[in-house]
């Protein structure tokens, strides 16, 4: 919940100018320098966390544990997505 809160606060403060330009880093996985648009990397960050949340949901289900509700249309109406 803390991480979600921090991400939400960060995303709410983003401005269009914050999405402009590239980020360059050395990728140990690719073993080379990589440069990608900042906007694409931010979208990827949110998409990638969705991937990992899906993995956790699958592991809980496989372990016989009821996973938390993830369908947005069934969540409380006071959520940040409205």
């Amino acid at each position: 919940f803390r991480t979600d809160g921090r991400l939400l606060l960060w995303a709410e403060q983003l401005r269009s100018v914050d999405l402009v330009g590239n980020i360059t880093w050395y990728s140990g996985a690719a073993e080379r320098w990589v440069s990608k648009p900042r906007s694409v990397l931010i979208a990827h960050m949110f998409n990638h966390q969705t991937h990992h949340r899906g993995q956790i949901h699958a592991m809980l289900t496989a372990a016989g544990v009821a996973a938390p509700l993830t369908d947005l249309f069934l969540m409380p109406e006071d959520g940040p997505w409205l």
Side-chain angles (χ1 to χ4, degrees):
F1 290 108
R2 261 184 271 176
T3 301
D4 284 345
R6 289 175 58 200
L7 280 171
L8 181 60
L9 288 172
W10 175 78
E12 288 175 339
Q13 294 174 10
L14 279 178
R15 298 167 296 151
S16 295
V17 69
D18 297 325
L19 304 176
V20 175
N22 287 345
I23 295 177
T24 302
W25 73 98
Y26 183 81
S27 167
E31 297 182 342
R32 63 182 172 90
W33 285 94
V34 179
S35 186
K36 298 289 180 185
R38 192 177 296 259
S39 59
V40 170
L41 293 173
I42 290 171
H44 172 73
M45 177 185 68
F46 285 101
N47 184 56
H48 197 74
Q49 75 160 337
T50 301
H51 161 73
H52 285 295
R53 288 174 186 233
Q55 286 181 315
I56 292 168
H57 190 282
M59 287 187 281
L60 289 171
T61 301
V65 177
L69 183 63
T70 58
D71 294 317
L72 290 178
F73 75 95
L74 295 175
M75 293 180 133
E77 292 185 23
D78 59 347
W81 49 88
L82 297 177

